[in-house]
């Protein structure tokens, strides 16, 4: 990611992530770049209110008819500029969100994450973050999928491809050019693999600081969908695409370090001791992630569909538990000593990384400030764990909203105004869900009710 991306550009796409994690903005001629780089670009405030259907919520304090949907400013950050062969004459530049007077907007996703990074820095700590994303790839184009009402789509291969190198090779006609495009955008891929679903792929990205990891994540989805559009294919990051197929995860790996970048989560190895031992600060951070899992669950599972992924024996957590090298828990620890990190397994591929990483950091910081130890790690199958030892996650969007609204920890971490903003956005999504009558309900109840 470099200003070199601007040298050959004819257009600059100045954008910022919205509440879904989509890049929203405008494409402007390169001749306007010096002016916009210095003064910012005027942008309507719709992006602060949009939901998944790109329709704005109407009861938000930050933007709405009561504000006249006034303009704000997108202030570009030249160091984030990227250009790829997918759009060879366009440079994409991430922007900070300001109001028309030049003040920062606390409700913007980039600002929400930046606040947690600053709070962690106040403890003398930093974090490196990497996301691993699963998605389903179809030979059916987005246009044809829409015409078919997203039914009877043809996966890239007809068998489950979990770690099967032969089956994943079939997808290389897509994943090979995708990796090349990602490299052009300054991203490194650690691994590509077939996942357990029919047509499911996982790609793991290298660690970055939290803001860079979140930007990398949204760029990854943008470029994956863009390549699929160009090739007449379709890729979906829905958390649960089918009741008979595994969900798609968006696991977050995080390592907390000191200001010099040395890992602080693991205890120094000792002969005869548990190799996965936590340091006092590592234990406190983990304790917060576990204790406040429900407080921030809304930021990790933002849609009705998100909760359908959280099923027993589907490699997704159902309770607030942890263990070393265990894929049935919510938090898996990996490595030891200075290399110890955690894998947070709650988010699906549908999460907004700015919100999810912010929520993860906020919970960990609350743990650091409380200083309490975590519960004992679980042994074996977390799905059958005693609910006293492993309290269950909430099971519905409405319950996640209620837990978030009632959380003093969330209010302190995010500010009450931002917490209320995010809760109101979620309520708009919840009301959309409650207004739908599905064919499943009609089949069950038409004669029997």
């Amino acid at each position: 990611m470099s200003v070199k991306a601007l040298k050959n550009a004819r257009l600059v796409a100045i954008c910022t992530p919205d509440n879904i994690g989509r890049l929203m903005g405008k494409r402007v001629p390169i001749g306007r770049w010096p002016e916009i780089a210095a003064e910012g670009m005027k942008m309507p405030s719709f992006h602060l209110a949009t939901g998944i259907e790109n329709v704005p919520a109407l009861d938000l304090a930050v933007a709405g008819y009561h504000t006249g949907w006034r303009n704000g400013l997108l202030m570009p950050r030249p160091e984030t500029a990227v250009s790829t062969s997918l759009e060879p004459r366009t440079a994409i530049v991430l922007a900070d969100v300001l109001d028309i007077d030049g003040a920062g907007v606390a409700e913007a996703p980039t600002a929400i994450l930046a606040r947690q990074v600053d709070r962690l820095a106040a403890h003398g700590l930093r974090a490196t973050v990497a996301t691993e994303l699963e998605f389903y790839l179809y030979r059916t184009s987005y246009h044809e999928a829409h015409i078919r009402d997203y039914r009877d789509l043809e996966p890239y291969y007809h068998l489950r491809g979990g770690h099967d190198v032969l089956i994943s090779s079939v997808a290389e006609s897509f994943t090979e050019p995708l990796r090349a495009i990602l490299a052009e955008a300054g991203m490194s891929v650690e691994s590509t693999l077939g996942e357990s679903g029919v047509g499911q792929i996982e790609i793991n990205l290298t660690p970055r600081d939290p803001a860079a990891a979140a930007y990398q994540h949204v760029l990854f989805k943008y470029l994956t969908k863009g390549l699929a559009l160009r090739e007449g294919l379709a890729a979906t990051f829905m958390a649960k695409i089918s009741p008979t197929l595994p969900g798609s995860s968006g696991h977050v790996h995080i390592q907390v370090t000191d200001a010099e970048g040395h890992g602080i989560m693991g205890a120094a190895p000792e002969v005869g001791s548990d190799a996965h031992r936590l340091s006092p600060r590592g234990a406190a951070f983990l304790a917060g992630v576990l204790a406040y899992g429900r407080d921030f669950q809304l930021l990790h599972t933002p849609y009705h569909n998100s909760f359908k992924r959280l099923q027993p024996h589907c490699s997704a957590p159902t309770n607030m538990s942890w263990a070393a090298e265990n894929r049935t828990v919510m938090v898996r620890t990996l490595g030891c000593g200075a290399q110890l990190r955690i894998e947070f397994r709650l988010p699906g591929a549908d999460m907004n990384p700015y919100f999810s990483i912010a929520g993860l950091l906020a919970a960990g910081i609350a743990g650091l400030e409380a200083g309490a130890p975590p519960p004992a790690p679980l042994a074996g199958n977390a799905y059958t764990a005693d609910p006293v030892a492993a309290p269950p996650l909430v099971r519905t969007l409405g319950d996640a909203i209620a837990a978030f609204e009632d959380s003093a920890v969330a209010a302190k971490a995010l500010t009450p105004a931002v917490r209320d903003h995010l809760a109101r956005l979620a309520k708009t999504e919840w009301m959309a869900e409650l207004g739908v009558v599905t064919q499943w309900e009609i089949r069950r109840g038409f004669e029997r009710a």
Side-chain angles (χ1 to χ4, degrees):
M1 301 180 190
S2 163
V3 292
K4 293 180 181 178
L6 293 160
K7 286 187 176 180
N8 297 318
R10 294 179 181 173
L11 290 173
V12 185
I14 298 167
C15 47
T16 195
D18 72 352
N19 302 304
I20 311 306
R22 293 173 298 219
L23 292 174
M24 309 293 275
K26 300 178 185 180
R27 296 173 190 268
V28 299
I30 189 64
R32 292 196 60 204
W33 171 249
E35 163 209 346
I36 291 172
E39 301 176 8
M41 180 181 74
K42 290 182 179 179
M43 176 80 174
S45 53
F46 290 106
H47 64 94
L48 295 169
T50 47
I52 196 165
E53 295 186 81
N54 206 8
V55 175
L58 300 180
D59 60 348
L60 303 176
V62 70
Y65 288 103
H66 64 288
T67 69
W69 293 111
R70 61 178 173 247
N71 277 341
L73 290 174
L74 295 189
M75 183 57 66
R77 295 167 51 193
E79 73 277 8
T80 67
V82 300
S83 182
T84 74
S85 54
L86 192 64
E87 300 175 88
R89 293 299 187 182
T90 298
I92 298 172
V93 182
L94 185 70
D96 292 322
V97 180
L98 311 178
D99 66 22
I100 199 63
D101 298 318
V105 177
E107 293 86 352
T110 51
I112 289 171
L113 177 55
R115 175 178 167 85
Q116 302 315 309
V117 172
D118 290 344
R119 294 181 69 232
L120 186 66
H123 289 270
L125 300 173
R126 295 159 47 185
T128 56
V129 175
T131 55
E132 52 182 57
L133 276 162
E134 297 170 353
F135 60 95
Y136 280 86
L137 180 67
Y138 294 94
R139 297 183 184 274
T140 315
S141 70
Y142 280 120
H143 177 69
E144 183 64 25
H146 178 71
I147 291 173
R148 296 185 192 181
D149 199 25
Y150 303 98
R151 300 180 185 186
D152 302 320
L153 309 183
E154 182 185 359
Y156 85 84
Y157 198 74
H158 54 274
L159 298 176
R160 292 176 182 257
H163 294 87
D164 189 315
V165 177
L166 177 61
I167 291 178
S168 64
S169 73
V170 179
E172 278 294 289
S173 60
F174 179 81
T175 53
E176 183 178 19
L178 176 59
R179 287 192 299 269
I181 290 168
L182 296 174
E184 292 167 355
M187 288 184 251
S188 297
V189 171
E190 290 200 336
S191 62
T192 307
L193 59 144
E195 258 298 345
S196 301
V198 177
Q200 193 179 33
I201 297 168
E202 177 181 317
I203 293 183
N204 300 322
L205 302 175
T206 53
R208 300 282 180 91
D209 69 77
Y215 181 40
Q216 176 174 260
H217 181 113
V218 298
L219 270 178
F220 173 83
K221 291 177 74 171
Y222 176 89
L223 295 170
T224 300
K225 291 179 180 181
L227 180 60
L229 276 167
R230 189 183 76 179
E231 299 298 318
L233 307 172
T236 181
F237 293 87
M238 280 185 68
K240 189 74 169 175
I241 189 65
S242 165
T244 62
L245 292 172
S248 288
S249 300
H251 299 158
V252 179
H253 289 251
I254 182 168
Q255 182 184 37
V256 180
T257 72
D258 61 22
E260 286 72 45
H262 303 122
I264 59 91
M265 300 191 75
E270 296 177 2
V271 176
S273 70
D274 178 3
H276 300 285
R277 286 190 315 134
L278 295 159
S279 70
R281 285 188 294 180
F285 188 93
L286 173 62
V289 172
L290 294 166
Y292 305 113
R294 285 188 292 225
D295 294 57
F296 293 100
Q297 187 174 341
L298 179 64
L299 304 187
H300 312 301
T301 55
Y303 310 111
H304 175 60
N305 181 260
S306 307
F307 292 83
K308 296 179 183 293
R309 173 180 151 265
L310 306 180
Q311 303 293 334
H313 306 106
C314 290
S315 296
T318 58
N319 53 38
M320 295 182 290
S321 55
W322 78 282
E325 292 292 0
N326 186 329
R327 287 181 169 86
T328 68
V329 296
M330 185 178 80
V331 181
R332 179 170 73 125
T333 60
L334 302 97
C336 61
Q339 303 305 313
L340 191 140
R341 69 182 191 277
I342 66 173
E343 178 190 47
F344 186 57
R345 298 177 59 81
L346 176 56
D350 56 347
M351 58 85 163
N352 181 334
Y354 288 89
F355 293 162
S356 184
I357 297 170
L360 176 56
L361 288 174
I365 292 166
L368 287 170
E369 293 174 348
L378 286 184
N381 186 356
Y383 299 123
T384 59
D386 183 337
V388 175
L393 291 160
V394 297
R395 300 294 301 135
T396 70
L397 181 57
D399 288 342
I401 294 169
F404 185 68
E405 282 192 302
D406 290 344
S407 173
V409 172
K412 176 183 177 182
L414 302 168
T415 75
V418 170
R419 181 197 60 179
D420 293 348
H421 168 78
L422 294 174
R424 286 179 177 273
L425 281 168
K427 284 180 179 177
T428 299
E429 177 65 21
W430 185 36
M431 289 299 105
E433 168 211 329
L434 294 178
V436 173
V437 178
T438 67
Q439 197 62 31
W440 176 80
E441 293 170 286
I442 294 171
R443 282 198 306 268
R444 295 182 81 230
F446 189 91
E447 293 186 46
R448 299 181 180 98

